[in-house]
Each structure stands twice: as structure tokens, then as C-alpha cells.
Amino acid sequence: MALVLLRLVFLTIFLLRFIAAQQNGGSVSVGASLTATPNVKPWLSSSGEFAFGFQQVQGTDNFLLSIWYEKIPDKTIVWYPEEGQMVPTGSKVELLRESGLVLTDPLGTQVWRSGSISGVASGFMNDTGNFVMFGSNSRKLWGSFDYPADTLLPTMFMESGEGINSTISKTNFSGGQFQLRFQEDGNLVLNTRDILSGNAYDAYYISGTYDDSNSTNSGKQVIFDATGYMYILRRNGQRFDLTPRGSLPSGDYYHRATLDSDGVFRQYYFPKNPTSNTTWKVIWFVPDNICVDLSDLSSTGACGFYNVCSFDGNRPNCECPKGFSLLDPNNPSGDCKPDFTPTCDEVDSNNGRGIFDFIELQNIDWPFSDYVHMNPSNENTCKSSCLEDCFCAVAIYRDTQCWKKKLPLSNGRKVASANVRAFVKYRIGDHPLQNTTRLPGENKDRKNLIVVGSALLGTSVFVIFVLVGVICVGFFVIYKKKPRNSYPIRKAVESNLPRFTYQELVEATDGFKDELGKGAFGIVYKGVIGKKTVAVKKLNTVVHNGEKEFKTEVDTIAKTHHKNLVQLLGYCDDGEQRLLVYEYMSNGTLAMFLFGDTRPTWRQRSYIAVGIAKGLAYLHEECSTLIIHCDIKPQNILLDDYFNAKISDFGLAKLLMMNQSHTNTGIRGTKGYVAPEWFRNTPVTVKVDVYSFGVLLLEIISCRKSLVYESGEKGVAVLTDLAWDCYQEGRLDTFVENDLEAFDDYKKLATFVMVGLWCVQENSSLRPTMRKVIQMLEGGIEVAEPPCPCSLSSY
Ligand SMILES: *[C@@H]1O[C@H](CO)[C@@H](O)[C@H](O)[C@H]1NC(C)=O
Ligand SMILES: *[C@@H]1O[C@H](CO)[C@@H](O)[C@H](O)[C@H]1NC(C)=O
Ligand SMILES: *[C@@H]1O[C@H](CO)[C@@H](O)[C@H](O)[C@H]1NC(C)=O
Ligand SMILES: *[C@@H]1O[C@H](CO)[C@@H](O)[C@H](O)[C@H]1NC(C)=O
Ligand SMILES: *[C@@H]1O[C@H](CO)[C@@H](O)[C@H](O)[C@H]1NC(C)=O
Ligand SMILES: *[C@@H]1O[C@H](CO)[C@@H](O)[C@H](O)[C@H]1NC(C)=O
């Protein structure tokens, strides 16, 4: 019995000591490590107020190495390593004598390390929130305060030349577009920056603490003192207050100052003894009104294109105006898109009347992008001038003045004065307010139709025709709305894709004169409709499916909207004649670009490759009907004015419904790009596109064609073999033919080649999905060593 008791006592002592070792007053010994799992215990400061470790990122399975307030319920993050890269479960951070803090992913690849330091003797999580590492003689080697992320804390200061960047969003910690910098001249500024190059644009806030003629006045340091006051210390010892004097509440509070992802720099406080639902409160912020202060032509403003910003005294709110909706519903401050087609084409003898009308918006302005200013003017002249002018997208009328604006509209904002009116022009057939789901709780459609109706009545017979059409469509929409919960049924009437007659397209293409290219499905001609250049594809008439099926396919294609897909603009279905009208791509095909006289740059090529991957991922996973392209090759990728890759000819080869993704029919596709399963009796899945993409990717990397024709022989596919040989022998320089730009970007080059090799695996289940391909190409996940794609090297 006594023995048992003794054992218990020992066990208790042992346990207590064990716990003490874990909580060693904030110090962390060399060799200690943390592994990213949901319940991993962080390294705490001695008061337990700050923690260093892995925090799971909201809504994801990933973790962020960070420092946070341990005692605040939402564990507000105050620091993370530069770039804020998230890592998967199983990643590890270690404190090593020879290299300081090292973050590795589950495969052991280094993601980040704390600069080039060595001889670390210990680490320490200070109660100030600073994680420091000391050398053997207690010399400080590194401190997280020297590398701030988006937040400043008391006892921290900023020297000239230093700064912090905002995050992209609350859940994406990579560098966003806003920056706070303490310039060499002593001025503290907020500015936007180009995310890719890091170049700073114009400032939208300046402290003014600089003096060109007398530098003793200029700022020397930005100080956040231990009591919570922030100020700029001038060279002459004077203070320029940032935190207003006397504004701090008395009592025990946490303080922080964060450059938030909305571009506002705010100082916050939070009581150390909070009641149940306390949140961070703001003491001061700059700039005063970001909707107005952040406005220059190098940015879209605080909200995206078309989006309208209003500042509620606390934060900017972005809201798409009536007639527009968010491009990405998950990004409310991103771009909006019009719910109608803002085209610039036919203005008939009636000066646009009966074709266009306006949506009227109150107190909204887009102060830039005007090209005509009429002073004086009146409301009617302003409107009719815009109606008659094909370039005019919006007319702003204020105080007897009129501004005509063209697309795209940026820096949109709510304005206080009540007499600003914006008239947004739309095509009548496209009336955006027909979309009843845009007006929750209102039954405005009928009213609007009546308003439109009465405005139009009495003009001409033509107009009455249009009106009848609008009412029919309107009623259709109203009655169609009821069965909301069921899956949307595809009905021909639902698509408002313009239908052209054959004669119209004969005229548009000047009798099919200018041939742009020939493909498996038909010949493409250049044409002009209205003032817009288009590409008209005349489909081979051998396609003998019914009118209804054709319309169904066209509808499916029309419903795909993605930056990396060629947009369908209209169609023609006149008896035997079937044509599709697409947007025109000025820079031709990728084949011409890749295999032309001059080699495109590596930067352009890698950008194009990622674009194609995104377009394909959309076809495979995001659009309502699964679309397998079946014929991915450089001839089917087009390039727009800005060399954005756009996939064409999708939806023509095969349309599959979600629940029958396995099919087994005749071979489609082009030699050199087709996956082996076409030749076997195995099901064909989206992975055939992944295979073709892999071949295409290797072509893009190397600027070599996948097939090599030797005299009189049929083509032999050697590119995948060549890629594998070069990869295996570590001779990627040979593969890219000594393209120095690519070779200098070795990590990316190697990643791209490995992704290419994974995509062309003979076993389709080994090929990654396009979603995963994107993540690998963008460096979001590491690429494992690919196995040999050795297989049918010639067919
Ligand atoms: C923790 O921070 C305080 C305030 O900056 C400082 O005085 C103290 O020396 C730090 N402790 C260690 C061990 O670095
Ligand atoms: C974070 O944003 C960047 C830039 O938009 C993007 O490239 C990256 O994929 C995003 N990361 C995550 C995890 O969403
Ligand atoms: C902030 O952005 C600049 C470039 O604009 C970059 O040089 C700097 O390293 C970034 N800082 C952090 C902490 O990420
Ligand atoms: C510069 O400013 C300081 C402090 O305001 C003042 O004392 C000094 O005379 C000025 N020097 C010159 C050259 O104007
Ligand atoms: C907590 O939140 C509720 C609802 O937001 C509010 O009514 C209540 O006053 C809050 N309690 C405290 C102590 O602030
Ligand atoms: C109608 O509104 C819904 C929801 O806002 C949107 O998903 C849909 O694309 C809109 N339709 C048209 C034709 O604009």
C-alpha cells in the first residue's frame, strides 16, 4: 500500500515537472518542434497571453505558422512569416541550432526559415508578443518584431525604409495590395502596390512628417509605446501623434495596429478581462474615407470594377449597383459584371431609341472614365446624347452638367449630395431587372414592365413588337420562378443568346471572305457585327442531330463564362446552316505563338499554361454541365489582346451530364495529344483532357511540337519521351533548348515539367485533376517525383 502511494507521489511529481517543462516561462529549447494538427499545443509566453504555433485557417484544412493572443476567444493573429503561406496537416516547425526556425511540409520540403542565422542557443516567447532567438552569449539573433506581418504591437518601432503589407483577405495571408511604409524622407504613407512586382503606386494617406528644406523636422522613427500610444518621433525630438492624446481608455487593454485587408490602418484595443461578447474596438484609423481617398487610375479603388463603395464611418462596404452582380460571389469587394451585354453596335435611325434604355441610380458616381463633359446641359440632353452615342455606357448628371463615361467603370462610390444621378445604359431585350431573383421580396417585374411599357408606347409599331416580346419573356420569368428548389430545367427560351439568320452572317463575314482557320468541326471566318469584330464558325453540315439537340448544346456553351474560355456571342440555325458566333481573338492561336519565328518569353508561356489549366478546371468542375473538351491542342487555344489564353471549341465534341461521366464511343481528338484509353476498351473520363493538357504543357515549356515528322513517315510522338529523359538526367537546360529565362526560374521550370509528366501518365488514375494541376503549377502544393510515363510512345 505504502509502495503504491509512493509511486503515485512520484508519478504526480513527474507529471508536474513534465507540464512545467512544456510551460517554461516562455522559453523554448533548441530541438523543440511543433507539428500542425488541430489540437497541437503552442509555445506560450510566461503570462500565457501570446502563443506561437500553428493555427488552423478558418474554413480550410490548412495551418498558418503564427503568433496570436491566446486569451482572446478568436485568437487574433498578430504575426506570420513573410508571404503567409499556409501549410497542410503534418507540417512541422523546429527550432534548430544551425538554422533557427525552420518550417517544413509533411514531405520534409522547407517552406520557410528565419533568415540566415546560426548558433541558436534558445528561443523565447516574450509577453510582448515578440518571439526571439538568442545565441550562446544571450545575444539576440532574431525577433519576430523585426519582421512584422500586417500588425504592429506596443514596444515595437519602425525605422525608415520599413513597412508592413496587408493580407489578401481574412483567410488568405499572402501579401495584398495595400502597404504602410515609413519612407526614407520621414513620411509615413499608405499606398497600393502591384502584387506581382511589388511596385508602389500613389499614396492615399501621408502623415506629412517630412520637410525638404529642413530635415530636422522630418520623422525618424514610428513608435508604438508600451502604454499603447503611437507617434512619429521627429529628428528634432518632437512628437507627431498618431493615436490622439487622451484617447486611450483607462484600464488594462491589449493594443494592436493592423493594416487591414480593406486598406484601412486601424489601432484597436480589447479589454484584458472581457465580458462574454466583447470585440476589438477601434481607437483611430487612416485614411478618413477610403472610398474617396483611395482613388487613382492605377487601381479600381477600394472596390472592384463597377462596384460601388460607401464608407459607414467604420469600414468600406462594396455593393454592386442595380443591374450588376458580383463576378465572384465570395468576394464582395471584387469586380461586378453587368447583367446585360454592354455592346457598342447598331444605332438605328431612331438614335438608339427603342434599342436602349436607362437604369437610373441615385447618389452614385464613377468619377473617372469620362470622355465628354457637357457644361451646361440638362437631364434630357444628357440622356439622349448618351443614347445616341455608342461609346457611352453611363451618363452622370449633376448641377446642370453632364459627363459621358465609357467602360469599364472604376472607383465607384456613393456620394452624399442628393442631386447626382447616374444613367446606366442597357439594351432593352437584355433588361437586367427581368431577373426576379435580384430583387428579393419585391414584385417589381410587372411594375418595371409597365414603366418600360408606358415609356415606349406610342413610338412605333416596331417598339410595340419589342414590348410584346419583353412582356412575354417577363411573364415567362415570373412563372418560371416558382419551382425554385428543383434543378433548373433547360428550356430553349431561357437562353437569351442572340440568334442570327444565315443571311445576316453572310453579310457580317462579307460572304465568308476572310478565313481565320480550319478545325475539326468547321471553318472559322472573320466578321463584323455592329462595330464588333467576331469570329464566325461554320459547322460542318455532317452533324445531323436535331434542331433541339443543337439548341441544347448551344445553350450549354452559352452558359459557360470564364476568363480562359472563348465566349459564345450568338448562333445561327437556319435549316442546314449551323454557325456559331464567337468573340474575336486578336493574337491568333497558341500554335502560331509557340512555334512561330520568335520564341515567346518564359513568363508569357507560364502565364498561358496556368490560364489554360484554369479554363479546363472550370469545364470539368465548375460549370453546370460537365464538359470534356476531348481535343486540347495548341490550335484550339486562342490568345486575346493581352495574351490571355482562351480555350475554344469546347462543348462541341461531347456533352456529358454529371451522372454519366464515363462514356465509350469513337475516338475523338488529334494525334499526338490523345490519351491511351481512347485505344482501349476503357472508360473515357475528364482525364483524357488532363493527358492532352500534359502534352500541351510540355510543348509550352519547350516550344517544341509533340509530333516530329521524319521524311515520309507518319508522325512520331517523342516529346514526352524527351521530357522524361531530360528530367531523369537532370538536363532540363537541354529540354528548354538553353532558354536562359526559363532556366533561371529553375524551381518553376522543374515543377512544370514534373506536372507535365504526371499528366501524361499512361494509367489515367495517376493523372491529377485539373484543380490539382493548378495548385501545383502555382506552387500551392509540392509536386512529388513523377514515375516514368513510358508507354505507347508512338501511335
Ligand atoms: C521581453 O520584452 C521586454 C520588453 O521589450 C524586455 O524588456 C525583455 O528583456 C524581454 N525579455 C527577453 C527575455 O528578451
Ligand atoms: C491567396 O491569394 C493569392 C493571390 O490572389 C492566390 O494566388 C492564392 O492561391 C490564394 N491562396 C489561397 C489558399 O486561397
Ligand atoms: C511587403 O511588400 C514589399 C513589396 O511591395 C516586399 O518587398 C516586402 O518584403 C513585403 N513585406 C512583407 C513583410 O511581406
Ligand atoms: C529647422 O527646424 C528647427 C526646428 O523647427 C529649427 O530650430 C531650425 O532653426 C530650422 N533650421 C533651418 C535651417 O531652418
Ligand atoms: C452581447 O451581445 C448582444 C447582442 O449582440 C447585446 O444585446 C448585449 O448587450 C451584449 N452584451 C454585452 C455585455 O455587451
Ligand atoms: C439572375 O440572378 C441570379 C442570382 O442573382 C444569377 O445567378 C443569374 O445568373 C442571373 N441571371 C441573369 C440572366 O442575369
Side-chain angles (χ1 to χ4, degrees):
M1 189 64 203
L3 208 64
V4 171
L5 254 179
L6 206 64
R7 274 195 182 170
L8 255 174
V9 169
F10 270 117
L11 190 67
T12 316
I13 291 172
F14 173 78
L15 271 176
L16 282 175
R17 286 187 55 168
F18 180 75
I19 291 166
Q22 295 279 299
Q23 291 287 330
N24 207 357
S27 67
V28 179
S29 39
V30 165
S33 69
L34 294 170
T35 304
T37 51
N39 295 315
V40 60
K41 292 267 179 306
W43 294 334
L44 295 179
S45 68
S46 67
S47 65
E49 292 180 8
F50 283 97
F52 177 100
F54 288 104
Q55 218 187 87
Q56 190 161 3
V57 179
Q58 208 188 351
T60 72
D61 294 332
N62 292 330
F63 292 82
L64 183 69
L65 179 68
S66 50
I67 296 174
W68 64 86
Y69 292 98
E70 177 67 9
K71 295 191 171 171
I72 290 181
D74 75 356
K75 315 235 166 186
T76 317
I77 289 174
V78 295
W79 180 87
Y80 45 84
E82 193 174 351
E83 311 293 349
Q85 193 171 335
M86 296 182 239
V87 290
T89 310
S91 300
K92 193 160 113 180
V93 63
E94 279 178 289
L95 182 64
L96 299 177
R97 182 174 308 279
E98 284 321 312
S99 35
L101 288 169
V102 177
L103 173 64
T104 49
D105 69 11
L107 298 172
T109 315
Q110 179 177 312
V111 177
W112 172 81
R113 64 173 282 200
S114 52
S116 44
I117 55 167
S118 64
V120 178
S122 64
F124 184 71
M125 184 68 244
N126 199 325
D127 278 331
T128 53
N130 193 6
F131 186 90
V132 276
M133 286 184 273
F134 296 103
S136 52
N137 50 359
S138 300
R139 195 167 50 92
K140 191 183 111 184
L141 297 174
W142 187 91
S144 60
F145 272 19
D146 304 328
Y147 303 92
D150 63 346
T151 296
L152 301 178
L153 293 173
T155 74
M156 214 157 147
F157 44 83
M158 229 159 56
E159 304 286 353
S160 67
E162 294 181 349
I164 57 177
N165 301 332
S166 69
T167 60
I168 292 222
S169 69
K170 286 201 173 67
T171 52
N172 185 341
F173 297 86
S174 57
Q177 59 162 326
F178 304 106
Q179 219 172 17
L180 174 78
R181 285 182 311 140
F182 188 46
Q183 295 183 158
E184 307 286 346
D185 64 1
N187 204 3
L188 182 68
V189 304
L190 282 171
N191 60 263
T192 48
R193 61 170 190 145
D194 180 56
I195 292 185
L196 287 180
S197 67
N199 289 345
Y201 294 135
D202 289 346
Y204 57 95
Y205 160 82
I206 62 166
S207 63
T209 46
Y210 68 103
D211 188 338
D212 292 337
S213 55
N214 186 350
S215 67
T216 60
N217 279 332
S218 63
K220 179 167 169 270
Q221 263 185 337
V222 177
I223 296 182
F224 199 162
D225 74 17
T227 64
Y229 278 97
M230 280 187 82
Y231 57 90
I232 298 169
L233 183 67
R234 296 182 193 264
R235 289 183 189 281
N236 60 17
Q238 289 176 344
R239 262 171 81 145
F240 174 89
D241 287 319
L242 292 167
T243 313
R245 294 225 179 167
S247 63
L248 292 185
S250 58
D252 219 359
Y253 290 94
Y254 293 114
H255 295 281
R256 67 177 168 104
T258 303
L259 177 56
D260 289 316
S261 54
D262 61 10
V264 180
F265 182 58
R266 299 179 175 89
Q267 185 179 342
Y268 294 91
Y269 68 99
F270 191 99
K272 289 198 178 175
N273 299 307
T275 50
S276 59
N277 53 357
T278 319
T279 53
W280 286 97
K281 299 238 162 44
V282 177
I283 298 174
W284 63 275
F285 59 86
V286 284
D288 293 338
N289 178 347
I290 191 159
C291 296
V292 175
D293 295 318
L294 173 58
S295 91
D296 62 78
L297 284 171
S298 56
S299 75
T300 61
C303 306
F305 283 122
Y306 303 105
N307 214 333
V308 175
C309 185
S310 59
F311 193 71
D312 65 3
N314 191 7
R315 54 188 61 254
N317 296 305
C318 300
E319 198 183 354
C320 294
K322 203 160 64 174
F324 295 77
S325 51
L326 281 176
L327 198 58
D328 172 3
N330 298 320
N331 181 12
S333 59
D335 299 338
C336 303
K337 61 175 177 16
D339 296 335
F340 48 91
T341 348
T343 47
C344 174
D345 47 15
E346 85 270 34
V347 170
D348 68 353
S349 53
N350 229 350
N351 288 336
R353 282 176 188 76
I355 297 180
F356 299 105
D357 201 357
F358 294 108
I359 304 168
E360 186 178 330
L361 305 171
Q362 297 274 350
N363 307 351
I364 287 179
D365 195 5
W366 288 274
F368 303 126
S369 40
D370 45 301
Y371 63 99
V372 172
H373 179 195
M374 300 190 294
N375 186 12
S377 176
N378 64 44
E379 197 181 308
N380 279 337
T381 331
C382 186
K383 282 165 79 173
S384 57
S385 161
C386 183
L387 208 57
E388 288 160 16
D389 180 346
C390 124
F391 289 106
C392 181
V394 170
I396 304 278
Y397 180 71
R398 190 187 74 205
D399 300 333
T400 70
Q401 295 179 52
C402 176
W403 289 264
K404 291 204 286 184
K405 305 200 179 251
K406 58 183 173 10
L407 299 174
L409 304 167
S410 67
N411 288 277
R413 65 193 58 168
K414 286 238 167 80
V415 287
S417 80
N419 53 359
V420 178
R421 299 162 89 183
F423 300 100
V424 181
K425 191 162 87 174
Y426 72 92
R427 174 182 297 275
I428 286 172
D430 268 354
H431 197 316
L433 301 180
Q434 276 170 14
N435 197 339
T436 49
T437 53
R438 290 194 47 77
L439 300 164
E442 281 182 87
N443 193 4
K444 256 196 180 162
D445 294 69
R446 286 160 206 260
K447 254 192 262 161
N448 268 309
L449 288 171
I450 293 160
V451 173
V452 173
S454 33
L456 293 176
L457 266 176
T459 35
S460 74
V461 176
F462 167 75
V463 163
I464 290 173
F465 253 102
V466 171
L467 177 60
V468 169
V470 166
I471 290 179
C472 291
V473 174
F475 272 93
F476 180 78
V477 170
I478 290 165
Y479 289 114
K480 206 62 224 162
K481 204 181 96 181
K482 280 173 193 150
R484 271 266 65 156
N485 298 332
S486 59
Y487 231 60
I489 307 154
R490 263 195 286 133
K491 275 267 163 64
V493 210
E494 262 186 348
S495 145
N496 47 15
L497 193 69
R499 178 177 177 159
F500 298 97
T501 64
Y502 185 65
Q503 193 50 38
E504 278 170 328
L505 294 184
V506 169
E507 278 158 28
T509 55
D510 201 1
F512 300 105
K513 213 170 77 187
D514 193 355
E515 185 179 317
L516 291 172
K518 217 178 240 138
F521 304 102
I523 303 173
V524 187
Y525 301 90
K526 191 168 173 175
V528 175
I529 294 179
K531 284 189 183 149
K532 204 179 173 102
T533 311
V534 295
V536 178
K537 178 166 218 131
K538 205 170 172 190
L539 296 179
N540 295 336
T541 41
V542 286
V543 197
H544 269 311
N545 50 2
E547 189 182 331
K548 221 174 101 201
E549 286 152 57
F550 177 71
K551 185 65 172 80
T552 312
E553 300 207 1
V554 166
D555 273 349
T556 310
I557 299 169
K559 276 194 198 132
T560 57
H561 294 280
H562 190 277
K563 185 176 150 219
N564 297 109
L565 298 179
V566 176
Q567 185 66 44
L568 185 66
L569 302 176
Y571 72 104
C572 161
D573 187 12
D574 253 7
E576 284 284 281
Q577 303 295 349
R578 290 193 173 153
L579 300 96
L580 298 174
V581 181
Y582 288 102
E583 52 179 341
Y584 173 74
M585 292 294 130
S586 54
N587 277 315
T589 69
L590 178 60
M592 287 151 55
F593 186 64
L594 272 188
F595 311 127
D597 296 337
T598 50
R599 191 186 182 98
T601 68
W602 167 244
R603 205 185 137 97
Q604 279 173 321
R605 272 142 57 208
S606 47
Y607 178 70
I608 288 170
V610 174
I612 300 167
K614 288 184 173 167
L616 263 182
Y618 174 88
L619 290 178
H620 289 177
E621 288 169 26
E622 288 160 40
C623 56
S624 54
T625 313
L626 163 67
I627 296 176
I628 301 181
H629 190 295
C630 296
D631 198 12
I632 287 292
K633 56 178 177 181
Q635 289 77 11
N636 278 340
I637 311 294
L638 303 179
L639 300 172
D640 74 2
D641 298 0
Y642 308 102
F643 293 95
N644 287 307
K646 305 234 179 194
I647 301 174
S648 74
D649 265 7
F650 54 89
L652 299 181
K654 187 125 210 79
L655 282 165
L656 298 173
M657 301 307 289
M658 292 284 192
N659 54 4
Q660 35 172 240
S661 58
H662 285 35
T663 63
N664 209 335
T665 42
I667 295 180
R668 295 159 195 271
T670 305
K671 202 163 152 164
Y673 301 89
V674 288
E677 54 265 36
W678 283 118
F679 303 96
R680 315 219 180 104
N681 199 19
T682 47
V684 166
T685 66
V686 290
K687 295 291 179 69
V688 301
D689 283 350
V690 177
Y691 184 93
S692 309
F693 174 79
V695 177
L696 181 60
L697 179 60
L698 295 173
E699 290 187 320
I700 293 174
I701 297 168
S702 62
C703 293
R704 297 170 194 253
K705 291 186 186 169
S706 71
L707 285 176
V708 173
Y709 292 91
E710 276 160 14
S711 55
E713 285 181 49
K714 49 188 191 152
V716 183
V718 292
L719 190 62
T720 52
D721 293 353
L722 179 67
W724 172 251
D725 292 345
C726 292
Y727 169 72
Q728 231 194 352
E729 291 159 18
R731 303 282 328 185
L732 292 188
D733 49 343
T734 313
F735 187 57
V736 295
E737 294 177 295
N738 295 318
D739 180 337
L740 284 184
E741 192 199 353
F743 200 65
D744 283 346
D745 195 2
Y746 192 83
K747 182 155 191 284
K748 191 179 211 172
L749 171 63
T751 304
F752 274 43
V753 172
M754 289 196 303
V755 172
L757 291 171
W758 273 112
C759 292
V760 296
Q761 290 298 315
E762 188 183 1
N763 178 349
S764 67
S765 65
L766 287 180
R767 294 175 212 150
T769 61
M770 288 313 297
R771 173 101 358 243
K772 190 140 181 230
V773 166
I774 296 170
Q775 289 171 331
M776 293 194 286
L777 293 179
E778 290 188 333
I781 49 178
E782 284 297 320
V783 190
E785 299 268 318
C788 178
C790 326
S791 61
L792 318 163
S793 55
S794 58
Y795 37 85

